[in-house]
Amino acid sequence: MLAEIITIGDEILIGQIVDTNSAFLGKELNKIGVSVYQITSIQDDKEHILKALKEAEENADIVIITGGLGPTKDDITKHTLCEYFGDSLIEDKDVLANVEQIFSKYTIPLLDVNKQQALVPSKAKVLMNHYGTAPGMWIEKGEKVFVSLPGVPYEMKALISDQVIPQLRNKFKFPYILHKTILTYGLGESSLAERIESWEDALPSFIKLAYLPSLGRVRLRLSAKAMDKNMVELEMEKQIHLVLPLIKDVFVGFEEDKSIEAVIGLQLTEMGKTLAIAESCTGGRIAQAFTANAGASKYFKGSIVSYATESKTNILDVKAQDIESHSVVSREVAEAMAQNVRVLFNSDFAISTTGNAGPSKGDSDADVGTVWIAIATKDKVYSEVFNFGNHREKVIGRATNKAFEMLQKEILKK
Amino acid sequence: MLAEIITIGDEILIGQIVDTNSAFLGKELNKIGVSVYQITSIQDDKEHILKALKEAEENADIVIITGGLGPTKDDITKHTLCEYFGDSLIEDKDVLANVEQIFSKYTIPLLDVNKQQALVPSKAKVLMNHYGTAPGMWIEKGEKVFVSLPGVPYEMKALISDQVIPQLRNKFKFPYILHKTILTYGLGESSLAERIESWEDALPSFIKLAYLPSLGRVRLRLSAKAMDKNMVELEMEKQIHLVLPLIKDVFVGFEEDKSIEAVIGLQLTEMGKTLAIAESCTGGRIAQAFTANAGASKYFKGSIVSYATESKTNILDVKAQDIESHSVVSREVAEAMAQNVRVLFNSDFAISTTGNAGPSKGDSDADVGTVWIAIATKDKVYSEVFNFGNHREKVIGRATNKAFEMLQKEILKK
């Protein structure tokens, strides 16, 4: 079963807003076994909308339209829908009541232009919008379903989850669909592909595989779709069982909608262990990744961003002589930073980073992209050096991901 | 002049990633006077790509294709481009050298599949990708321009800014377009609109205005498009001169493509002043915002993320008694953190944050969303308390923005 998403409005085309609605729709539709064939973002223009509707009807069984339903005069979506379906607008009492009730809350006058939000195509089934004035509309044409929704994300999301998805489940018989994602590290997309080639070639046709690379790691996404739920679950389990030993380098406990730092946080919390960080070139990125997640205070003690060289000696108590003889970007400094920050915060584990994120060389002669990362525990410290390329943002991002990788390996050691 | 954007790959269609590339492209194209007619996201499928190319060629003068250039077997974009343009792939020596040079940096083996990244359509002008192995490609067909770019955002962005936009400017004659953005703080969209209503009504028709609200600040974007460069520049200058006194609360020196923290960094650097930070609830977010920018080491001394309460006393030397009697979320603690971190890093200015980002109450009884922010200089310290709501991510984001606002006000004081 195929769907097409049409977003209407200039904001996306001029880059004023990022289209997060389509990603949400793609995810929700995929969960019930509907594949999105195409996402089309178009202007708020009658001819353009008609063209997009025609093409979508040819391509897909389900057409979801978002945006173009605001009260301002440039929103012509509803009139165009009428033209497309040979229909006309009628006033819907319930929608009008909803509009009036919303306006009564805020003490702003109800204008005619607002009342017009109660006009819907006569053939449309109204999907009541409890968070805004623009109603959702469900229109059927033959076996095809067209759904028009407001573009405001939380209004659209509520309509999709509470009304559109359940009604699609009623109307169509969907296959069972199951997604599993494996997060791999330290492997390029191509070397990963090589490692699992034989396995991939032998995958049953109802399981699709996608490689999603980003900053030194690759997400491997398996999507299985079939009518027989048990068979899908058994086969998926079997395939993951087969592939994991081939990949070896995978993050443990990763789930699609959970960041790896959140997973590591839960693992530390379960173990009752704590973490401290000393960051130089990553400049606080690692700390903020952990603290972005609720519950970080259960395991995260804190971080010292020792950006200026003297702060490495003053605050982290790194020996000036080590910096002298080995430079700030060195094994000696990285390991001293990790050991000393662990003691300073009295934590079980500590990570440190020192390197040159570029674009120019800093207080050391290290090449741009060179980063030392150290891990310290109560009874040991060790470190590795990497070169993460010459793009500042990328160097910081890859160093952060590598730190997560080294940390998880350490905390899960038996 | 019209452009169409085609994004290739399942990740967007299944909602695995949000399509931020298209927003960037829309913005950059708009800056030079090119309107995006349509954004089309399609699968990594030959027939589908051919169909999209054909339609885009009919609709637009410029077609920008992103994604579908990775080394794995599911990427068939290049072969499809050859089919569309009646071309064949040839090995490009420079691209191959670039691929080999990149692999020589990372210690991963160079595979045949990677060497294939050096294959490009013979009619294509190569746009060298300095941050990755997949090259950009510029193909002309009659008066139309097709550009194929890797989907990795920072690779795509560099190719657009450094090569595609300049080359489009060479090939086509665009109207002169001038964008100016004013970053306002502390004002809601509607109260801002009220302050500048009379000015807005009197704007000349060739200057368009957009309100872009986010996390406690509103960007006011003026876009002027006309053939006469001098007239546009004079009028824009005049209008900005008129509106600034009406708004009052604006960030000084802000530019559209420069973050406010980057601007503050430049201002500190020019003044030869330095900054240190003590972060609790913002957990490193402020530090990483500054250090994300090249040249941060010129003014940024470092930060202490004192997440665990005891680290506020151990490391930041906050009096245990102050924490006892006022709690960790208090004026006394915020101001002590700022003063002490300034001394610790020997900086001219210091910021501190202490609060409760939620979702549940932490080591204090402060309501979720309560944040104290303090500013310290050599001769004074002061602080303010805010409530930033009950959404963790928003609390951290708004506290960070507010810290930037307070810091800039302080450093620009005469």
Side-chain angles (χ1 to χ4, degrees):
Chain A
M1 177 105 10
L2 292 176
E4 179 155 340
I5 298 168
I6 299 173
T7 74
I8 299 174
D10 290 345
E11 315 90 271
I12 291 170
L13 297 174
I14 64 177
Q16 204 168 83
I17 62 167
V18 170
D19 175 21
T20 53
N21 284 354
S22 295
F24 173 82
L25 288 166
K27 233 182 216 159
E28 294 309 303
L29 289 167
N30 256 270
K31 283 185 194 159
I32 60 168
V34 176
S35 305
V36 174
Y37 171 80
Q38 181 168 312
I39 300 168
T40 310
S41 297
I42 59 174
Q43 292 159 336
D44 205 333
D45 166 84
K46 183 181 142 196
E47 292 313 318
H48 202 164
I49 295 172
L50 290 172
K51 183 159 166 284
L53 286 170
K54 186 166 166 304
E55 284 172 12
E57 185 177 349
E58 289 161 10
N59 300 337
D61 313 284
I62 300 164
V63 180
I64 311 254
I65 305 145
T66 65
L69 295 181
T72 53
K73 57 175 88 67
D74 54 297
D75 289 314
I76 43 120
T77 304
K78 280 193 293 193
H79 298 92
T80 309
L81 285 173
C82 284
E83 176 163 342
Y84 188 76
F85 294 106
D87 199 359
S88 59
L89 294 174
I90 56 164
E91 183 173 276
D92 184 285
K93 299 271 158 300
D94 301 339
V95 176
L96 184 60
N98 182 53
V99 171
E100 286 167 344
Q101 191 252 348
I102 286 174
F103 271 79
S104 66
K105 265 202 228 129
Y106 319 116
T107 52
I108 34 178
L110 179 66
L111 308 170
D112 288 347
V113 68
N114 303 116
K115 290 198 183 129
Q116 282 169 25
Q117 304 236 268
L119 296 175
V120 297
S122 69
K123 295 176 182 168
K125 177 164 58 167
V126 165
L127 308 171
M128 193 58 67
N129 178 354
H130 300 295
Y131 299 110
T133 53
M137 293 168 280
W138 173 291
I139 303 172
E140 299 192 4
K141 184 180 176 190
E143 272 312 289
K144 312 231 166 179
V145 172
F146 294 74
V147 179
S148 170
L149 301 170
V152 182
Y154 64 88
E155 297 178 20
M156 180 279 297
K157 287 178 180 173
L159 284 162
I160 284 289
S161 307
D162 305 343
Q163 300 184 63
V164 178
I165 294 293
Q167 291 186 33
L168 286 174
R169 280 181 179 284
N170 280 342
K171 181 170 172 63
F172 300 105
K173 171 142 184 52
F174 293 114
Y176 178 69
I177 192 152
L178 183 63
H179 296 288
K180 290 281 179 192
T181 303
I182 299 165
L183 183 60
T184 72
Y185 52 72
L187 285 172
E189 183 176 358
S190 42
S191 359
L192 174 61
E194 203 180 55
R195 275 197 195 182
I196 65 174
E197 189 172 16
S198 55
W199 169 83
E200 183 173 357
D201 294 341
L203 270 179
S205 59
F206 64 89
I207 298 186
K208 300 261 165 290
L209 190 66
Y211 293 79
L212 309 166
S214 124
L215 297 177
R217 38 197 216 193
V218 179
R219 277 181 304 164
L220 199 64
R221 190 165 200 266
L222 290 87
S223 306
K225 190 196 288 189
M227 282 321 216
D228 182 342
K229 181 169 184 286
N230 287 345
M231 183 274 288
V232 166
E233 285 172 346
L234 283 171
E235 188 62 29
M236 182 68 92
E237 200 175 317
K238 179 182 144 209
Q239 292 301 337
I240 287 181
H241 194 75
L242 287 170
V243 77
L244 286 180
L246 301 177
I247 306 172
K248 293 183 207 73
D249 305 319
V250 299
F251 281 99
V252 179
F254 175 74
E255 292 165 29
E256 186 53 51
D257 299 326
K258 211 184 278 174
S259 69
I260 190 61
E261 55 271 26
V263 171
I264 292 173
L266 291 173
Q267 288 161 339
L268 283 168
T269 307
E270 279 163 21
M271 299 161 70
K273 302 289 188 181
T274 57
L275 173 69
I277 308 171
E279 303 190 59
S280 186
C281 61
T282 50
R285 175 77 63 96
I286 302 176
Q288 74 91 30
F290 281 111
T291 57
N293 301 295
S297 54
K298 293 196 185 70
Y299 64 88
F300 181 67
K301 292 276 197 136
S303 172
I304 293 194
V305 182
S306 57
Y307 219 62
T309 296
E310 77 259 25
S311 66
K312 294 183 176 66
T313 49
N314 301 351
I315 300 167
L316 279 171
D317 200 29
V318 176
K319 293 198 196 65
Q321 188 207 324
D322 278 344
I323 296 175
E324 267 301 305
S325 37
H326 306 287
S327 96
V328 285
V329 180
S330 63
R331 173 187 300 277
E332 290 74 10
V333 171
E335 296 189 353
M337 286 169 69
Q339 283 175 303
N340 299 355
V341 83
R342 195 195 67 73
V343 173
L344 209 50
F345 282 95
N346 183 32
S347 65
D348 299 293
F349 299 97
I351 319 170
S352 75
T353 65
T354 180
N356 182 355
S360 59
K361 291 191 175 189
D363 290 359
S364 94
D365 296 339
D367 292 336
V368 171
T370 308
V371 179
W372 279 92
I373 303 177
I375 300 280
T377 67
K378 285 196 166 63
D379 47 28
K380 67 177 176 303
V381 62
Y382 57 91
S383 58
E384 278 186 71
V385 67
F386 307 91
N387 188 300
F388 292 130
N390 59 358
H391 185 284
R392 185 178 180 87
E393 183 189 330
K394 183 179 172 189
V395 171
I396 295 172
R398 293 191 58 171
T400 300
N401 287 347
K402 180 59 73 173
F404 294 146
E405 174 187 329
M406 289 172 66
L407 177 63
Q408 191 186 46
K409 278 185 191 160
E410 179 56 44
I411 65 178
L412 296 185
K413 271 183 191 161
K414 289 292 161 293
Chain B
M1 178 101 15
L2 291 177
E4 179 154 341
I5 298 168
I6 300 173
T7 74
I8 298 174
D10 290 344
E11 313 89 275
I12 291 170
L13 297 174
I14 63 180
Q16 188 124 36
I17 62 168
V18 170
D19 175 21
T20 54
N21 284 354
S22 295
F24 173 83
L25 288 166
K27 223 183 239 170
E28 294 309 302
L29 289 166
N30 258 271
K31 283 185 194 161
I32 60 169
V34 176
S35 304
V36 174
Y37 171 80
Q38 181 167 312
I39 300 168
T40 311
S41 297
I42 60 174
Q43 290 160 337
D44 205 333
D45 167 83
K46 183 181 139 195
E47 291 313 318
H48 202 164
I49 295 172
L50 289 172
K51 184 159 166 285
L53 287 170
K54 186 166 167 301
E55 284 173 12
E57 186 178 348
E58 287 162 9
N59 300 337
D61 314 284
I62 301 164
V63 181
I64 311 256
I65 305 145
T66 66
L69 295 181
T72 51
K73 50 174 90 95
D74 52 298
D75 290 313
I76 45 126
T77 305
K78 280 193 292 194
H79 297 93
T80 309
L81 286 173
C82 283
E83 177 162 343
Y84 188 76
F85 294 106
D87 199 358
S88 59
L89 294 174
I90 56 164
E91 184 174 272
D92 183 285
K93 298 269 158 300
D94 301 339
V95 176
L96 184 61
N98 183 54
V99 172
E100 287 167 343
Q101 190 252 349
I102 286 172
F103 271 78
S104 66
K105 271 216 197 112
Y106 314 133
T107 51
I108 37 179
L110 178 66
L111 307 169
D112 289 347
V113 68
N114 302 115
K115 294 202 181 119
Q116 283 168 24
Q117 304 234 270
L119 296 176
V120 298
S122 69
K123 295 176 182 168
K125 179 164 58 168
V126 165
L127 309 170
M128 192 59 67
N129 178 353
H130 299 296
Y131 300 120
T133 52
M137 293 167 279
W138 173 292
I139 303 173
E140 300 192 3
K141 184 179 175 190
E143 273 311 290
K144 312 233 166 179
V145 172
F146 294 74
V147 179
S148 168
L149 301 170
V152 182
Y154 60 85
E155 297 179 17
M156 181 278 299
K157 288 179 181 173
L159 284 162
I160 284 288
S161 307
D162 305 343
Q163 300 184 65
V164 177
I165 294 294
Q167 290 185 33
L168 286 174
R169 281 181 178 282
N170 280 342
K171 183 170 171 64
F172 300 104
K173 167 130 188 61
F174 296 112
Y176 182 66
I177 290 224
L178 184 60
H179 295 283
K180 289 282 179 191
T181 304
I182 299 165
L183 183 60
T184 72
Y185 52 72
L187 283 172
E189 185 175 357
S190 44
S191 24
L192 175 61
E194 214 175 293
R195 278 197 194 181
I196 65 173
E197 190 173 13
S198 56
W199 168 83
E200 183 173 357
D201 294 342
L203 270 179
S205 59
F206 65 89
I207 298 186
K208 301 258 166 288
L209 189 66
Y211 293 79
L212 311 168
S214 125
L215 295 176
R217 34 198 220 193
V218 178
R219 278 184 305 154
L220 201 63
R221 186 146 184 262
L222 290 85
S223 308
K225 188 198 277 194
M227 279 309 178
D228 182 343
K229 183 169 182 287
N230 287 346
M231 182 274 288
V232 167
E233 284 174 345
L234 283 172
E235 187 62 29
M236 184 66 92
E237 198 175 319
K238 179 182 144 210
Q239 292 301 336
I240 288 183
H241 195 74
L242 288 170
V243 76
L244 286 181
L246 302 177
I247 306 173
K248 296 186 205 69
D249 304 320
V250 299
F251 281 98
V252 180
F254 175 74
E255 294 164 29
E256 181 59 47
D257 300 324
K258 215 183 275 173
S259 67
I260 189 63
E261 54 272 26
V263 172
I264 293 173
L266 291 173
Q267 288 160 339
L268 284 167
T269 305
E270 279 163 22
M271 299 161 70
K273 303 288 189 183
T274 58
L275 173 67
I277 308 171
E279 303 190 60
S280 187
C281 60
T282 51
R285 175 78 65 96
I286 301 176
Q288 75 92 27
F290 281 111
T291 57
N293 302 295
S297 55
K298 293 197 185 70
Y299 64 87
F300 182 68
K301 292 278 196 132
S303 172
I304 295 197
V305 181
S306 56
Y307 218 61
T309 296
E310 76 258 25
S311 67
K312 293 184 176 66
T313 49
N314 301 351
I315 301 167
L316 278 172
D317 201 28
V318 176
K319 291 199 196 65
Q321 188 206 324
D322 277 344
I323 295 174
E324 268 300 304
S325 38
H326 305 288
S327 98
V328 285
V329 180
S330 63
R331 173 188 299 279
E332 290 73 12
V333 171
E335 296 188 354
M337 287 170 68
Q339 283 176 304
N340 299 355
V341 84
R342 195 195 68 73
V343 173
L344 209 50
F345 282 95
N346 183 31
S347 65
D348 300 293
F349 300 96
I351 319 169
S352 74
T353 65
T354 180
N356 182 356
S360 58
K361 290 191 176 189
D363 290 358
S364 94
D365 295 340
D367 293 336
V368 171
T370 309
V371 179
W372 278 93
I373 303 177
I375 299 280
T377 67
K378 286 197 166 64
D379 47 29
K380 65 176 176 304
V381 63
Y382 57 91
S383 58
E384 277 185 72
V385 66
F386 307 90
N387 189 301
F388 292 129
N390 57 4
H391 185 286
R392 183 178 180 90
E393 188 188 326
K394 282 206 173 82
V395 172
I396 295 173
R398 292 187 60 181
T400 301
N401 287 348
K402 181 58 73 173
F404 294 147
E405 176 187 328
M406 289 172 67
L407 177 62
Q408 191 185 47
K409 279 185 190 160
E410 178 57 43
I411 66 178
L412 295 185
K413 269 183 193 162
K414 289 290 163 295

